[in-house]
Each structure stands twice: as structure tokens, then as C-alpha cells.
């Protein structure tokens, strides 16, 4: 979705490269690629994302709507935003232990 947003903005907008990068969420990709590799290597079920990074995804979806993004990608983007909203409510804080970021244990549900 982010790559599609970047391509649409490059095609349809006369903004500079940094503005397009910010507006499409593309600055988030290198971070997510690194995290995805680490998550895959550790057997995690998902890729960790900081709550403050959700704004990049929101920007990509909003700008896709403005610049005529593909309908399927827009639907996926809105679904992703809904999932991120749920996950944001379940966010936990972390702490460094011997140079490794550890999440505080999750409170039991129920």
C-alpha cells in the first residue's frame, strides 16, 4: 500500500521528493523491513510497529484517496488502519535490558 501511494504521488503530484516520501509513508519502509526480518528470524507472528508510526500509514491512505489510488489498495489500507487502531489500544511499553528491547508482560485478559 505504501509503495502504491508513493507511485501515485510521484505521478500525480508536483511535490518535492521528501514531501512525497512523508505523504506516502515511504520513510517507514526501511524500518519495517528490518523489523520484519527480525520477526521472521525469531518466529514472531507479526511485525512490531510503534503507535506513533501509525500516522505514516494514515497519511498514505488519505493521500491515496486524494490522488486516485486503486480501489483494492484503498480497501486494504482502511482495513489495515482498523487493525492498527485495535493494536494501538493494546500497546505496551518497552524497556532496555542488556541492550535488548523487552516488552513488559501483558496483563491477563478477562
Amino acid at each position: 500500500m505504501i509503495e502504491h501511494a508513493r507511485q501515485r504521488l510521484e505521478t500525480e503530484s508536483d511535490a518535492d521528493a521528501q514531501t512525497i516520501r512523508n505523504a506516502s509513508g515511504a520513510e517507514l519502509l526501511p524500518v519495517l523491513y528490518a523489523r520484519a526480518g527480525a520477526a521472521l528470524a525469531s518466529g514472531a507472528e507479526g511485525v512490531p510497529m510503534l503507535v506513533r508510526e501509525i500516522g505514516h500509514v494514515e497519511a498514505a491512505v488519505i493521500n491515496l484517496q486524494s490522488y486516485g489510488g486503486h480501489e483494492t489498495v484503498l480497501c486494504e489500507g482502511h482495513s489495515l488502519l482498523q487493525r492498527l487502531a485495535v493494536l494501538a489500544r493494546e500497546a505496551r511499553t518497552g524497556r532496555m535490558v542488556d541492550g535488548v528491547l523487552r516488552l513488559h508482560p501483558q496483563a491477563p485478559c478477562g
Side-chain angles (χ1 to χ4, degrees), residues 93-110:
T93 58
R95 62 187 170 94
M96 295 298 285
V97 177
D98 297 325
V100 176
L101 179 64
R102 301 267 181 157
L103 294 177
H104 291 286
Q106 194 167 12
C109 297

Side-chain angles (χ1 to χ4, degrees), residues 1-109:
M1 186 216 36
I2 289 174
E3 185 60 28
H4 180 61
R6 186 190 58 75
Q7 290 172 354
R8 292 301 303 157
L9 287 169
E10 284 178 349
T11 301
E12 301 293 329
S13 171
D14 59 355
D16 63 90
Q18 185 58 39
T19 300
I20 289 172
R21 185 172 164 80
N22 290 336
S24 68
E27 67 182 33
L28 190 56
L29 289 180
V31 174
L32 290 180
Y33 285 142
R35 290 183 197 158
L40 181 64
S42 67
E45 292 183 21
V47 177
M49 188 173 175
L50 301 175
V51 172
R52 69 175 182 257
E53 295 170 338
I54 294 172
H56 296 291
V57 179
E58 290 170 336
V61 172
I62 290 167
N63 285 306
L64 267 177
Q65 286 178 272
S66 298
Y67 288 95
H70 192 278
E71 184 177 317
T72 303
V73 179
L74 280 169
C75 287
E76 287 296 320
H78 284 287
S79 294
L80 178 59
L81 285 176
Q82 288 174 347
R83 177 75 175 130
L84 291 174
V86 169
L87 292 173
R89 290 190 296 271
E90 298 173 1
R92 296 180 283 159
T93 58
R95 62 187 170 94
M96 295 298 285
V97 177
D98 297 325
V100 176
L101 179 64
R102 301 267 181 157
L103 294 177
H104 291 286
Q106 194 167 12
C109 297

